[in-house]
Amino acid sequence: MAQGDVVVDADPSMRWNGWGDPAKAKDLPLAVRALLPMLLGRVRKPEPAVEVAHVQLAPSRLTDEDHAAFCTAVGPENVDAAAEARIRHAGGRSTPDLLRRREVHQDAPDAVLRPADHAEVRACLDVAVARGIAVIPFGGGTSVVGALDPERGPHHAVVSLDLRRLSGLIRLDEISGDAVLAAGTTGPEAEALLSARGFELGHFPQSFRYATIGGFAAARSSGQNSAGNGRFDTMVTGIRVATPTGDIELGRSPGSAAGPDLIRIFLGSEGIFGVITEVRVRVHPIPRDRMFESWSFPDFASGAEGLRGVAQQGGGPTVIRLSDEAETAVSLAQVGRIGKALAKGASVVTVYEGEDIAERRARTGARLAAAGGVSAGEGPAEEWRKGRFDGPYLRDSLLDAGVFCETLETATTWSNLQALRSAVESALKAGFADVGAKSYVMCHVSHIYPSGASLYFTVLAALRAEPLRVWDAVKARVNDAIIGSGGTISHHHAVGRDHAPWLRQEIGETGIRILSAIKRELDPAGVLNPGAVLPLERMH
């Protein structure tokens, strides 16, 4: 890749009970270990996680006839009911998902199907409808909102529809600047294929190494370059979907007034209306130049004011990220700067790519300086870029050390940003305090708009008995605080099953009726991802 930006070394076989490449798992940095007792007090180390060979699953609920029908659809070699395959498709990569992966008794889909193309996806859906079997579309397995739970709903069995064989660049229109990619293509694969032709997509969420193009679309993903390249849904210009009642291909032209934009129905639908098999996306030539600059601010509020000025001025960085005082401290501790980690202050990283970067950097710098920022040079921003996909490895190390670590996100207007941040932080701390656990809450902004910004929270807490039950209560309290304080229930993690009970409060009863009507029309048997986005009782 140009400028060494993308390392195309992703292994689709992610660690079965953690994040990413098992060879990259590491112990906590010594400085972080030293900081944890100061933040959380004494932490009790958990029991060792179960080995995959010792996991106990219920037998597959597929009948011999079910199995034979799926073998006809995709070939016998692509219907896998082995225990390990089922375990690897038993959920996403949220902390609750990983805690469940540590237990002896686990739930899992009854088989894993691996279709090779749109026609085989269609054949799998036909079998599922005819035989009453739920289907969970599965791309990179990186969901953190329960969207991949093996939920059977009213059906007698559930299968995971693994889309990774639907991979590759189908076509690239270099004149128009758009490309059609198969839905199972991972982020690194897409960038490698486009780079060979001088182009890039430029969508880099933290899940980039494993997540897929179809997953980006289904979850309305937003990547770290969103300030310059936009959210993924703004990149999509066309889509092909297999639904239980028929196929649909959308995106005839770059703009249209031929009724409502049906593409948007499937962006963010998380597989409840159909299975995305191809996505057409806007691409651009690989940027030739890149510049970095880091900034320090007295506090989060002044940093947020700086970001607001940058967003409303326009023509700013490709990447801009504000870490609050707590997150800045932990980031410094990770690189051994324990003394600075105990100091107060927020931090901003900016990255500029493409044309006119010197001018954009100067204009942005003036705005940040006017808000109280002080340039800290290129170093911290470059350090952040090098390790920006490795954060989930730290989460796994914290879990191994007995520290509960989870993330959540929201967004709101600039005028409401501080109030929402305070409400979420208070709900998190109060929820853990109710069970006698100390917690440490960090926050950052990584996506900005002229009218507002995202808020991304990471919470650490000393593990106690029944961590899943405790977190369910804490998360419910936080979701209530988000809705009550004017935030969105999700800015880019999506709805899944975790947020579904709160969706009605965000989009209203009429909004729920509209989504339910679409569900009934496209999936009348309710086989697709039961309980995701729409609670089961609203799907019929």
Side-chain angles (χ1 to χ4, degrees), residues 441-483:
V441 180
M442 298 170 276
C443 179
H444 71 251
V445 170
S446 55
H447 309 283
I448 61 173
Y449 307 89
S451 60
S454 66
L455 289 170
Y456 191 103
F457 296 87
T458 302
V459 60
L460 309 180
L463 280 176
R464 294 292 188 266
E466 300 184 276
L468 289 172
R469 181 187 60 79
V470 170
W471 177 243
D472 282 347
V474 173
K475 184 68 185 294
R477 189 169 186 159
V478 171
N479 288 348
D480 288 343
I482 287 173
I483 293 294

Side-chain angles (χ1 to χ4, degrees), residues 205-221:
Q206 193 170 58
S207 61
F208 167 76
R209 286 176 174 158
Y210 289 90
T212 61
I213 296 296
F216 293 155
R220 291 178 72 186
S221 172

Side-chain angles (χ1 to χ4, degrees), residues 121-137:
V121 170
R122 150 72 38 226
C124 289
L125 294 184
D126 290 344
V127 172
V129 170
R131 306 196 67 82
I133 298 168
V135 177
I136 313 296

Side-chain angles (χ1 to χ4, degrees), residues 189 291 538:
E189 289 169 344
M291 296 176 70
R538 294 308 305 253

Side-chain angles (χ1 to χ4, degrees), residues 72 194 337:
T72 299
L194 292 168
R337 300 174 186 173

Side-chain angles (χ1 to χ4, degrees), residues 181-202:
L181 291 153
T185 310
T186 66
E189 289 169 344
E191 294 296 352
L193 291 165
L194 292 168
S195 176
R197 305 277 291 274
F199 286 82
E200 75 164 15
L201 176 60

